[in-house]
Amino acid sequence: MKEATIWGIHGGKTGDADSLFLKKNCVAIGWAKIGDLSKIPPDRPSFKATVAKTFPDAKPGAIPTNAGQLFRFVHEMQVGDLVVYPSKQDRKIHIGRIEGGYGYNPSLEEGYPNIRPVKWLKALPRTHFTQGALYESGSAMSLFQVTTYADEFRAAVEGKLAPIPVTKDETVAIVAEEIEESTRDFI
């Protein structure tokens, strides 16, 4: 059986979606001006065209990045996948399991109408994780796939201790480079 994909998500620049995520048991993304993402044909070029049309002043590089995040949230994220949410409010790393498909509900939280139900499994202090895992979960994107430190987050869900941090984590520079490269590749 294939291991569940691990997604990272952020609750807005100031953590304004924190209450929505944790009290309503979901994860959500914004881009409210676009409306219901399930109405967009299920292919990346259609998502790019919709983002470009909705945000005509967007920088050219932002269009494929934003469209890719929206596409992944609707079409690649699956029930059973894990999601990592580094909360700015309580400074913990929340880990949950995606419990349902994509939904559009602007009445739940106006700024975050695109949602997926989540069952929160763990809330751990940041000190539980290596610096590399924290860097990866702190990606600049709103929604991203966790790859390099995925096993560390899986171990946390299973109640196993995280790997013992080494004095000098040389993988941090490598992870930062890989994140930048994969973002460039994705664009």
Side-chain angles (χ1 to χ4, degrees):
M1 187 169 122
K2 179 185 156 263
E3 282 189 304
T5 300
I6 299 181
W7 300 95
I9 195 160
H10 294 244
K13 289 180 181 169
T14 60
D16 49 328
D18 191 81
S19 172
L20 171 67
F21 286 13
L22 301 177
K23 291 182 181 164
K24 301 285 185 180
N25 295 314
C26 67
V27 289
I29 54 175
W31 291 279
K33 281 178 68 176
I34 294 176
D36 186 346
L37 302 175
S38 67
K39 306 247 186 263
I40 303 171
D43 58 76
R44 288 179 185 274
S46 295
F47 273 71
K48 286 179 189 176
T50 301
V51 170
K53 181 180 174 187
T54 308
F55 302 100
D57 297 332
K59 293 179 183 176
I63 292 169
T65 301
N66 292 341
Q69 291 175 80
L70 299 173
F71 181 83
R72 289 177 127 192
F73 190 80
V74 177
H75 297 292
E76 291 182 7
M77 190 178 266
Q78 300 293 314
V79 173
D81 285 352
L82 294 174
V83 63
V84 173
Y85 167 56
S87 171
K88 292 181 180 183
Q89 304 300 317
D90 66 9
R91 309 276 306 144
K92 290 184 178 178
I93 303 291
H94 296 264
I95 305 173
R97 187 171 310 283
I98 301 297
E99 294 278 295
Y102 166 79
Y104 178 72
N105 186 349
S107 64
L108 193 60
E109 177 70 40
E110 188 179 320
Y112 297 90
N114 302 293
I115 62 170
R116 279 187 170 267
V118 168
K119 178 180 182 184
W120 295 108
L121 306 170
K122 297 274 183 176
L124 300 165
R126 292 172 189 256
T127 54
H128 186 81
F129 298 94
T130 63
Q131 191 62 52
L134 294 174
Y135 281 148
E136 187 170 18
S137 69
S139 170
M141 295 194 298
S142 298
L143 176 74
F144 51 95
Q145 191 172 343
V146 174
T147 54
T148 306
Y149 288 88
D151 288 339
E152 189 170 328
F153 291 107
R154 283 188 189 98
V157 168
E158 294 168 7
K160 298 177 183 171
L161 292 175
I164 298 168
V166 291
T167 352
K168 183 178 178 192
D169 192 351
E170 294 174 13
T171 58
V172 170
I174 295 168
V175 170
E177 230 174 86
E178 287 175 0
I179 290 169
E180 186 177 328
E181 186 178 319
S182 79
T183 301
R184 234 181 286 123
D185 290 348
F186 187 72
I187 293 171

